[in-house]
Amino acid sequence: MPGAKVAAEAEMSTYKVVYERDESGSWIAEVPSVPGCHSYGRTIEQARERVREALDLWVRDASTAYLVDDVRLPSRLRASVKRAHVARKKAEQEQKRAQRTAAQAATELTRDWHVSLRDAGEVLGLSRQRIQQLTVRTPRKKTAAKRSGRKAAKP
């Protein structure tokens, strides 16, 4: 295999990979913990694949190693990306809250008010199938007679 393998004590199963764009728009990928291990690609994905190939020249576990991406961006872009992540997280939390609220309303409409699934869907702006999913209750335990397939004896 070409290239020298790093000593066993220097091998790790997790490697940080730093990605930076050059003047041409390509992504340069470098593994700081393995001096000389770097590659490039037109996309981050391509650079990741190529840096794993380069890492294979230096360490034994490159094909199974976990690569931790550290994409370096200018501070203005970092701030914009961070705002996008925060907004997405807030939206996910709000979606979960909306889900719980819709499930509660659907359950109250169908169970307490005996409204049909179709009408509950109309009221909530959801499909009847979605209302059914939201109102599914855990099934009651079957009696021994039902499990065995026998009819229960009449009193």
Side-chain angles (χ1 to χ4, degrees):
M1 179 172 265
K5 295 286 183 178
V6 174
E9 62 272 5
E11 290 183 357
M12 304 180 317
S13 59
T14 300
Y15 298 92
K16 177 180 173 181
V17 181
V18 176
Y19 300 89
E20 293 184 274
R21 283 194 74 184
D22 67 6
E23 309 81 40
S24 71
S26 293
W27 288 95
I28 307 299
E30 177 186 4
V31 181
S33 63
V34 182
C37 183
H38 61 275
S39 193
Y40 74 98
R42 287 180 305 159
T43 65
I44 292 173
E45 182 180 5
Q46 186 180 53
R48 184 182 302 114
E49 290 170 6
R50 289 179 174 176
V51 81
R52 186 178 294 276
E53 291 171 4
L55 189 59
D56 193 44
L57 300 173
W58 298 96
V59 298
R60 290 188 193 105
D61 65 346
S63 61
T64 59
Y66 180 69
L67 303 182
V68 177
D69 293 343
D70 180 6
V71 180
R72 303 279 170 94
L73 299 170
S75 60
R76 182 181 62 79
L77 288 175
R78 265 195 322 269
S80 180
V81 169
K82 185 175 181 174
R83 284 192 304 273
H85 284 291
V86 168
R88 182 178 297 136
K89 186 169 181 134
K90 283 182 182 178
E92 288 170 359
Q93 290 170 344
E94 192 60 30
Q95 178 66 27
K96 287 178 184 177
R97 190 177 75 73
Q99 183 94 1
R100 287 190 306 270
T101 304
Q104 181 181 1
T107 300
E108 290 175 6
L109 282 167
T110 57
R111 184 190 62 207
D112 300 343
W113 286 82
H114 306 289
V115 172
S116 70
L117 296 175
R118 189 175 308 276
D119 286 344
E122 284 289 325
V123 170
L124 291 172
L126 300 170
S127 69
R128 105 182 134 69
Q129 291 90 347
R130 185 66 185 130
I131 297 297
Q132 186 173 16
Q133 290 171 344
L134 292 172
T135 59
V136 170
R137 295 185 198 123
T138 55
R140 287 185 271 158
K141 291 183 180 179
K142 293 181 179 179
T143 63
K146 286 185 179 178
R147 278 194 304 267
S148 69
R150 293 175 289 151
K151 291 186 178 180
K154 292 186 180 181

